[in-house]
Amino acid sequence: AAVIKLSKPIENILIISLDDTFHREIAKRGFYPLRVNVDDIIIPKLQNRTKLSIWTTRLVLWRLMHHIGFEKVINFDADAIPLQDPLQYFDRYPRSEIIAMAATFPESISQTVGFSLNMGTCQLRDSHFMRVFWDEVARQSDNSTKKPDDQYIINYTLFIKGLEWNIVSSRRSFPGHNESAVMHRDVTGQTGDGLNTVALSAEKFCRATCMRNITNNLIVSHPQPSKLFFNYTSPNWNSSSTSKGLEWLKNNFAVQADV
C-alpha cells in the first residue's frame, strides 16, 4: 500500500497486489487493488521463478511510488498478519525513512550486527535521503552477483552506506536470547549520509520470534516455522508442523484469524 503526499490521482491509499489469490480475496471485501502481473514486466531470465520475480518487481514498484508522489510505501507479505494497527505504531517514527521488522537474512549482515531488516513488513518514507538511497540500490542491483532479492539488496546497501544502530545492549545475537538488543525494544539507526532506520521490536513484530498463544503485545505476526527457532521460544513446540500463514495462526494463536 502507498499513501499519497501531493495531489490525489487515485485516492488516499493505493493498494498494489502481486498475487492473484490475494487480489481475488481482497476484492471480495470491497477493496480493489492495482493488480501487477510480474511476468509482464520482469526480465525474461526470471520468468517462472515467482518469488524472485516478486522480490525484484516490488523494489521497482516501491521506488516508482516514491517518484510519482507517494510519501509512504507500506509492504506486508501475504502471510504477515496485522493483529493490531501497525501504521499507528510506525507513526512513532515520523522522520525515519525505513521501518522494518527484525530478521536474520542475509546472514552476513545479521552475524555482524545481530539482526537484519525484513521486508515482509516495512514502511519506506520518501525524502532526499531515500532518493539517494534508491540510487545506490540501483547501482548495487546492477553490480550484484547474488540472486535477485529485495531484502539482500536493501540490507547490503544500508551496510555499505555505514548504517550504525543505536544498540544499548551488549548482547547482539538475535534471536539467541531475551536480552537481544532488538527483542523487547525498537532499535533506531542512521547511515553515514543521514538516512534514518528503525528495526522493530521482535516481541511486537515477530518473524523468527513468533511464540504460541502470545498475542497481548503482538502487532504483526509473520511466523517462520523452524526447528531451531521453536526450540528456542518454546521447548514443547511441535516443530513438525507444516502449517503457515492464516492456517498457522488459526491453529496456534488464540485469535480470530479470518481477515
Side-chain angles (χ1 to χ4, degrees):
V3 181
I4 198 74
K5 69 174 179 180
L6 299 174
S7 59
K8 302 176 181 179
I10 302 175
E11 54 187 4
N12 280 340
I13 297 176
L14 171 65
I15 301 175
I16 300 175
S17 170
L18 304 180
D19 181 84
D20 281 326
T21 302
F22 175 80
H23 184 269
R24 290 194 299 269
E25 290 301 316
I26 199 170
K28 292 176 184 177
R29 291 159 170 79
F31 297 94
Y32 300 98
L34 175 65
R35 172 73 177 100
V36 175
N37 184 358
V38 297
D39 289 334
D40 287 343
I41 60 177
I42 205 66
I43 54 179
K45 68 179 180 180
L46 289 181
Q47 286 186 355
N48 301 320
R49 301 179 69 177
T50 306
K51 284 187 176 181
L52 296 182
S53 297
I54 288 175
W55 292 336
T56 305
T57 301
R58 65 187 192 181
L59 271 178
V60 176
L61 288 174
W62 294 344
R63 185 178 192 183
L64 179 61
M65 290 301 100
H66 281 168
H67 178 72
I68 64 176
F70 285 95
E71 179 183 17
K72 296 176 182 177
V73 176
I74 300 156
N75 182 72
F76 295 103
D77 282 359
D79 57 346
I81 311 300
L83 302 177
Q84 299 182 49
D85 182 0
L87 308 189
Q88 186 177 19
Y89 194 92
F90 296 163
D91 286 344
R92 298 181 181 188
Y93 302 99
R95 299 192 63 80
S96 292
E97 280 80 16
I98 300 177
I99 302 173
M101 65 166 49
T104 57
F105 176 81
E107 289 80 6
S108 58
I109 302 296
S110 62
Q111 288 173 3
T112 301
V113 179
F115 55 88
S116 61
L117 294 179
N118 184 284
M119 297 297 105
T121 296
C122 67
Q123 175 178 285
L124 309 173
R125 184 181 67 85
D126 187 32
S127 72
H128 163 74
F129 301 109
M130 194 68 195
R131 290 188 286 274
V132 172
F133 179 77
W134 282 131
D135 287 342
E136 187 60 38
V137 165
R139 282 190 288 271
Q140 294 306 319
S141 298
D142 286 341
N143 297 332
S144 178
T145 58
K146 302 283 186 180
K147 292 181 180 179
D149 184 287
D150 56 342
Q151 191 162 312
Y152 173 83
I153 289 292
I154 285 182
N155 277 279
Y156 182 72
T157 302
L158 287 170
F159 179 76
I160 65 171
K161 288 179 73 67
L163 175 61
E164 289 287 341
W165 293 104
N166 299 313
I167 297 177
V168 297
S169 172
S170 60
R171 299 171 180 247
R172 293 196 170 200
S173 61
F174 168 77
H177 41 65
N178 284 335
E179 293 305 315
S180 169
V182 76
M183 186 67 194
H184 300 298
R185 61 190 67 85
D186 303 333
V187 178
T188 60
Q190 190 175 74
T191 62
D193 60 358
L195 180 139
N196 293 298
T197 58
V198 179
L200 296 164
S201 161
E203 182 180 43
K204 295 182 175 68
F205 295 80
C206 72
R207 177 58 169 162
T209 51
C210 295
M211 293 178 66
R212 205 174 166 181
N213 297 323
I214 303 298
T215 61
N216 290 339
N217 296 322
L218 196 58
I219 297 174
V220 173
S221 173
H222 192 183
Q224 184 183 45
S226 160
K227 283 187 177 182
L228 176 64
F229 156 61
F230 285 123
N231 284 343
Y232 155 62
T233 57
S234 177
N236 298 321
W237 177 258
N238 178 12
S239 59
S240 63
S241 172
T242 59
S243 62
K244 298 180 179 180
L246 285 176
E247 181 186 359
W248 190 91
L249 281 174
K250 289 177 179 179
N251 290 342
N252 300 298
F253 278 73
V255 297
Q256 177 63 37
D258 284 330
V259 296

